[in-house]
Structures are given as structure tokens and as C-alpha cells.
Amino acid sequence: MNMEEIKIQQTDIRKAKPDQSNLPFGHYFTDHMFLLDYNLEQGWHEPRIVPYAPLVLDPAAMVFHYGQAVFEGMKAFIAKDEQILLFRPNKNMERFNQSNRRLEIPEIDGDFIIHAIQKLVNVDKEWIPSGKGTSLYIRPFIIATEACLGVRASHTYQLLVILSPVGAYYSEGLEPVKINVESSYTRAVRGGLGTAKAAGNYAASIKAQTEAKDAGYSQVLWLDAIEKKYIEEVGSMNIFFKINGKVITPELNGSILAGVTRDSIMELLNNWGVPVEERQISIEEVYEASLNGTLEEVFGTGTAAVISPVGELFWNNHQMIVNQGHIGQLSQKLYDTITGIQTGLIPDTLHWTVQV
Ligand SMILES: *Cc1c(COP(=O)(O)O)cnc(C)c1O
């Protein structure tokens, strides 16, 4: 497929743009979306940009019944001279196909989808907010569309890309969040869907998330499914601990999602000469560190929030306060560096950004 094949149908009706100073995450959508279809005869075909609109799907579409759905999350930023930048989009496309393989969804041509995203972002570029901490969130996703109640891989799919202007992910902004360590529910288990960005992982997490919210916590920290002992990740973020000068993050063990932000943080820290250990880390180890005063910083990492400092962890009736509830120096430096590179304020020596 090549770029020229993408048909563009512009909308006649432009929606009102939201107030940039108060953008909730994922509530507003732009004027257009990208669509691509798959069937067995033609493979992926008919790439097109059309007015943003509801979908018409058969009620028997397999995605509704068996959850064959994967997604990605990335961002476009306004940099200086009105340049528009994407951050490591090739990483998202690699992971998109990793998710596709796990769910028996046909793989996509990552370079082509990046081109499509560039075209779509260009069509809706007036929607990219320019305030500090804001960006245009890009949500590519694939759903199984065949009308059939048999349990097997669908024979037809649709890939869509929608865009949403966003502010900071957490309403508290860069203020440290309180996190509940979940000891009863399980999000993912080795061999399951945890390594895929699959809609079903979130379905599995919502009840624990609701209970944590009701108890005053903004997120859930998941432990391993079997022993409820080793730390996995937060709802939509990977997690890092700074203990006694060392940075530790759980290794990719087969049930954790390989975050693009996680990867970027590790590369930055390595470049800065800060040792990063990718290994099993138990919640007891973190608790011990909090008791003996060596738990220096805890932060979540993900595209939506970039860095989310953790001010409190609640586990098994133990309250662990991190850095007196303040953001740590390293967390702040990582946040400033990544957002600086994303918005062109810091030279992109690692060649992470791609111009739209
Ligand atoms: C998307 C996601 C992350 C973060 O990945 P990024 O590529 O850094 O945005 C972490 N964990 C889960 C479960 C996710 O879905």
C-alpha cells in the first residue's frame, strides 16, 4: 500500500474546539478518523480518512462477544515553528503487531499506519493543543467485525485511528498519586494477555480500579497473579522504584506490558549513568525499604501521564509514604527531559521524534 491510496473525505461540519486550559483526558474527539478494512481475499485494504462518526456494526460482530480487540496509545505535540512531532511511533507499531499476533489478528504494515497517522494528524492539526502538558492523543485500534457467534478468529477486521486533544492525564497533574496495592484481583497472568495491549486486560481491571477509587486511591498496583508477591505494573503504567540510589523496575516476565515510556526511561537513565535493575521486585522489599528509609522515589510511566509520581502506596493495611508525598528529583528530571524532547525544547539526540 502507498500513501496515495489514502482517500480523504473532509467533513463540512467542524465541531467547536474545547477550552485548552481545562482538557480532561479522552473526552473530546477531532473532526476526522482513519479507517482500514481487512478481509481474507484482499487483506488490509481501502485506507481512508473520513468525518468522525459512529460506526455501523452487526450486533453479532465478534468483538462484542469474544473481545478480539487491541489498541495503541501515542501522542502528537506542537513543537517550535509550528512543527508537529510524534514520539517513537515505530515502537507503538511494533507493539501493535505483537498484540495482533497474540490475539490472532492479522499483522499491519507499521510504516503505512504511521503515514496514515501523519496524514490524519495533518488534516486535524488545528485540534492539537499548545498549552504546557497538552498534546493530541492518538488512539489506533483494531476490532473483529465478522458477524458470527462461533469462537474462533474473525475473518474480517477494522483498524481505526481516532484523535483526542488532552491535558494532563491525572487531574492532580504532576502531584504525587495514592495507589492501592491489589492483593485479591488479578489483571493478567503469564501466558495470558498481559503482554498485549488488549481491551480485555482493562475489562479484567475495572472492578479493582473502582474499589480503589471508592477507597480514595487513584490507581491500582498489580501483584503477580500466582503468589501476590511480586510487583507487576499499575493500571495503564509501568512502575519504577528508587531504593538506596538504585532504580528498579519489574522485568518483562510475560504478564507485563512493554511500555514505550518504560523503554525510554531506561535508556535515559543508562545514558545518565544511573544504574537500572530490571528484575523481580517483591512488595515486601518495597515495604522494608519504606521502613528503613531507603525508599526514595516511586513513579509510574506511560504515554498518557509520561511520569506519574507516587506519594503513597497502601498494601495489606500498611501505608507507605514516599518522599513525604512530594515528587522526587529524578522523577521530575525524567519528566522534564521526556516532555522536553517530545516538544522539541531539548535536542533529540536519541532520534526519538518523527515529524508529521
Ligand atoms: C499502555 C500501557 C502501559 C504504558 O505503555 P506506554 O507505551 O509507555 O504508553 C503500561 N501498562 C499497560 C497495561 C498499558 O496498557
Side-chain angles (χ1 to χ4, degrees):
M1 273 184 289
N2 66 40
M3 275 281 271
E4 279 62 54
E5 289 178 60
I6 302 176
K7 290 206 190 73
I8 302 181
Q9 183 199 340
Q10 297 256 3
T11 179
D12 300 327
I13 309 147
R14 307 277 158 166
K15 290 182 271 197
K17 311 252 181 338
D19 174 12
Q20 275 205 28
S21 61
N22 181 28
L23 281 173
F25 188 87
H27 278 257
Y28 297 101
F29 299 95
T30 64
D31 287 321
H32 299 87
M33 61 185 183
F34 173 76
L35 296 179
L36 182 65
D37 295 320
Y38 178 92
N39 63 30
L40 292 179
E41 302 74 46
Q42 295 160 281
W44 288 111
H45 65 282
E46 221 187 313
R48 58 207 187 273
I49 289 169
V50 297
Y52 187 97
L55 301 176
V56 176
L57 287 175
D58 195 291
M62 292 170 91
V63 65
F64 298 134
H65 306 277
Y66 312 120
Q68 219 187 347
V70 297
F71 65 97
E72 269 306 322
M74 49 210 279
K75 283 173 169 176
F77 305 86
I78 289 276
K80 50 178 191 292
D81 309 325
E82 302 294 295
Q83 250 187 71
I84 302 165
L85 299 177
L86 301 176
F87 185 71
R88 308 188 79 184
N90 52 321
K91 281 270 176 199
N92 292 90
M93 292 303 119
E94 274 168 31
R95 187 174 63 194
F96 212 4
N97 272 333
Q98 190 179 312
S99 303
N100 287 337
R101 285 192 289 272
R102 179 62 185 82
L103 276 90
E104 281 290 289
I105 293 171
E107 291 189 37
I108 49 101
D109 174 346
D111 289 337
F112 179 76
I113 301 303
I114 293 173
H115 285 312
I117 287 169
Q118 287 168 317
K119 258 200 158 153
L120 178 66
V121 168
N122 242 316
V123 168
D124 277 339
K125 67 177 174 221
E126 280 157 34
W127 283 84
I128 311 176
S130 54
K132 199 167 158 42
T134 67
S135 58
L136 188 69
Y137 186 77
I138 302 167
R139 168 56 57 87
F141 62 108
I142 300 175
I143 53 173
T145 53
E146 185 184 349
C148 176
L149 295 183
V151 181
R152 57 161 171 77
S154 175
H155 293 155
T156 62
Y157 298 87
Q158 192 158 55
L159 182 154
L160 299 94
V161 182
I162 55 174
L163 307 174
S164 174
V166 297
Y169 190 63
Y170 292 103
S171 47
E172 301 103 305
L174 250 196
E175 285 298 301
V177 294
K178 289 165 69 171
I179 287 188
N180 183 50
V181 182
E182 178 57 53
S183 298
S184 28
Y185 299 114
T186 293
R187 184 196 88 100
V189 65
R190 208 168 304 175
L193 295 184
T195 55
K197 213 165 170 79
N201 286 327
Y202 282 82
S205 75
I206 286 170
K207 191 167 174 61
Q209 175 69 29
T210 307
E211 289 179 10
K213 273 252 153 75
D214 290 346
Y217 299 92
S218 68
Q219 287 273 336
V220 170
L221 177 62
W222 296 99
L223 299 178
D224 79 272
I226 302 184
E227 296 180 80
K228 295 287 175 217
K229 180 172 175 187
Y230 298 104
I231 290 165
E232 300 241 304
E233 58 179 319
V234 186
S236 54
M237 296 188 292
N238 297 112
I239 189 144
F240 287 75
F241 300 87
K242 182 163 174 262
I243 297 176
N244 211 8
K246 280 194 182 142
V247 179
I248 304 153
T249 193
E251 65 193 339
L252 300 176
N253 62 354
S255 53
I256 296 174
L257 194 85
V260 177
T261 320
R262 174 186 183 276
D263 185 83
S264 309
I265 298 271
M266 290 200 301
E267 197 164 332
L268 283 178
L269 289 174
N270 279 322
N271 289 353
W272 295 345
V274 179
V276 189
E277 294 175 11
E278 252 184 299
R279 61 165 170 87
Q280 273 196 330
I281 175 167
S282 68
I283 186 68
E284 280 106 342
E285 180 179 344
V286 173
Y287 182 53
E288 282 300 312
S290 95
L291 288 181
N292 67 28
T294 54
L295 182 62
E296 293 159 7
E297 296 185 34
V298 181
F299 55 92
T301 68
T303 296
V306 187
I307 297 278
S308 183
V310 177
E312 178 186 332
L313 287 168
F314 189 75
W315 170 64
N316 222 353
N317 284 322
H318 303 300
Q319 188 191 39
M320 302 174 228
I321 302 289
V322 187
N323 197 30
Q324 286 134 21
H326 300 308
I327 181 167
Q329 253 178 20
L330 188 66
S331 311
Q332 185 71 54
K333 185 176 169 192
L334 284 164
Y335 179 83
D336 293 342
T337 306
I338 295 211
T339 53
I341 293 171
Q342 287 172 333
T343 54
L345 292 172
I346 295 177
D348 178 19
T349 52
L350 296 158
H351 308 290
W352 279 345
T353 57
V354 171
Q355 225 172 300
V356 166

